[in-house]
């Protein structure tokens, strides 16, 4: 019999680049990777926010972390951030494309055009640009480069009034499949996560009682998720042992997308 082959379940020593790390799921992901011994480049357009997250992670005793102020809508800034990561840590092994925002619009509204442009630029085009900027380094990773794109359950279905976001997130799933197909031969995997309703700043304005009603009606687990529940699935996709997971869209939604009634 072929002997059982234990696979490596640690990201210790790997360098991870995270966008949108000042808040919510990006922040939780930075905390988790730091605790797992990874070197973390935490980036966000919110300079104070990302510096604060880096400080709190250092205070928790994890020093292999740096902050970079990055608006992912800026192509030159993306290249500079990747270069700074490699200069600081000597590698870029794992990319987490997480930055995003929510702006609702009905197709009849004039602002639809601007919201469409910003949504596609920040949540789809930027992911492609980051992947391409990081590619030379992801290719050098001996245990296999890892890319995780954050999509949404809005990439699998649609909520009224959310067209630009829905289109961008459907695009993230397409981008993930395209990259998985193109980069698999280089040992790089590309997967995406489709979070359901997660308690973060993106939905902080929705009153608690509305959240409770929605969750009890739509989510089998009957509550919103917390950012750490998504971060842990993201981490699982980035383990060296996750070497045969490629091109998938994983709902982390408490069962929202499989519930019919
Ligand atoms: P959040 O609002 O807590 O964090 C988003 C972060 O992205 C913020 O720190 C913000 O400054 C940053 N950001 C926004 N635009 C940026 C830009 N142009 N450049 C760099 N950073 C930028 O929100 P959350 O929920 O943690 O969002 C993370 C990702 O998860 C987003 O892509 C979002 O679409 C997605 N998502 C969130 C869900 C939820 O229920 N919270 C559900 C499904 C997907």
């Amino acid at each position: 019999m072929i002997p059982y082959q234990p696979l490596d379940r640690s990201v210790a020593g790997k360098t991870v680049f995270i966008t949108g790390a000042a808040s919510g799921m990006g922040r939780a992901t930075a905390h988790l990777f730091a605790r797992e011994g990874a070197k973390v480049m935490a980036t966000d357009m919110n300079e104070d926010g990302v510096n604060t997250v880096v400080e709190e992670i250092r205070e928790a005793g994890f020093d292999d972390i740096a902050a970079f102020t990055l608006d992912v809508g800026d192509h030159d800034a993306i290249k500079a951030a990747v270069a700074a990561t490699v200069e600081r840590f000597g590698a870029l092994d794992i990319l987490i494309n997480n930055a995003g925002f929510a702006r609702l619009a009905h197709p009849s509204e004039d602002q639809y055009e601007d919201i469409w442009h910003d949504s596609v630029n920040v949540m789809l085009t930027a992911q492609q640009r980051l992947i391409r900027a990081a590619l030379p380094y992801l290719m050098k990773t001996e245990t296999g480069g890892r890319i995780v794109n954050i999509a949404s359950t809005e990439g699998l279905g649609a909520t009224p009034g959310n067209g630009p976001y829905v289109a961008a997130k459907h695009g993230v799933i397409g981008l993930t499949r395209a990259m998985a197909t193109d980069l698999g031969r280089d040992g790089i995997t590309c997967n995406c996560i489709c979070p359901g309703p997660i308690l973060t700043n993106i939905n902080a304005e929705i009153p608690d009682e509305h959240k409770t009603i929605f969750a009890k009606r739509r989510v089998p687990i009957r509550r919103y998720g917390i950012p750490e529940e998504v971060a842990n699935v993201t981490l699982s996709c980035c383990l060296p042992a996750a070497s045969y997971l490629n091109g998938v869209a994983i709902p982390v939604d408490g069962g929202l997308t499989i519930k019919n009634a």
Side-chain angles (χ1 to χ4, degrees):
M1 221 187 286
I2 300 169
Y4 171 75
Q5 298 184 50
L7 301 178
D8 185 356
R9 294 182 48 78
S10 171
V11 293
K14 303 283 183 210
T15 299
V16 57
F17 185 108
I18 307 169
T19 68
S23 174
M25 287 181 256
R27 170 178 170 264
T29 305
H31 270 275
L32 180 59
F33 273 88
R35 279 164 173 71
E36 293 292 316
K39 300 167 189 170
V40 179
M41 178 56 92
T43 77
D44 201 289
M45 67 189 293
N46 175 349
E47 183 170 11
D48 289 347
V50 76
N51 285 332
T52 302
V53 167
V54 165
E55 258 170 51
E56 66 187 29
I57 291 172
R58 287 213 178 103
E59 274 167 23
F62 305 98
D63 287 329
D64 268 343
I65 180 156
F68 194 99
T69 307
L70 170 65
D71 178 343
V72 296
D74 179 344
H75 198 174
D76 288 338
I78 283 176
K79 293 176 191 166
V82 167
T85 305
V86 175
E87 193 175 48
R88 170 69 189 261
F89 295 120
L92 199 170
D93 307 300
I94 300 168
L95 170 63
I96 313 294
N97 270 318
N98 164 79
F101 61 86
R103 281 170 68 194
L104 298 176
H106 187 269
S108 60
E109 292 173 73
D110 287 344
Q111 56 176 359
Y112 199 87
E113 190 66 34
D114 286 345
I115 295 176
W116 177 279
H117 176 271
D118 290 350
S119 300
V120 171
N121 193 41
V122 167
M123 289 183 276
L124 179 57
T125 305
Q127 293 200 358
Q128 169 269 116
R129 288 176 171 164
L130 264 155
I131 292 168
R132 294 183 61 249
L135 200 50
Y137 310 104
L138 294 169
M139 280 177 172
K140 285 186 197 152
T141 304
E142 271 171 30
T143 50
R146 298 277 179 267
I147 302 163
V148 175
N149 300 324
I150 302 303
S152 169
T153 47
E154 295 285 81
L156 301 165
T159 300
N162 207 15
Y165 186 90
V166 166
K169 295 300 191 178
H170 274 70
V172 170
I173 296 176
L175 172 71
T176 300
R177 290 175 176 158
M179 290 295 177
T181 307
D182 281 331
L183 305 180
R185 69 183 59 187
D186 298 304
I188 298 169
T189 64
C190 183
N191 295 292
C192 72
I193 309 277
C194 298
I198 308 296
L199 291 170
T200 70
N201 281 334
I202 218 168
N203 47 44
E205 284 175 11
I206 301 174
D208 285 348
E209 61 269 31
H210 291 197
K211 285 181 175 140
T212 303
I213 292 165
F214 174 86
K216 288 195 169 156
R217 187 164 51 86
R218 295 292 310 280
V219 184
I221 302 270
R222 292 172 67 80
R223 61 171 173 81
Y224 269 50
I226 58 170
E228 289 80 357
E229 291 176 306
V230 178
N232 275 280
V233 180
T234 301
L235 176 79
S236 299
C237 296
C238 298
L239 300 176
S243 41
Y244 210 56
L245 183 75
N246 195 25
V248 299
I250 305 173
V252 183
D253 65 354
L256 176 132
T257 44
I258 51 84
K259 184 169 182 274
N260 282 339

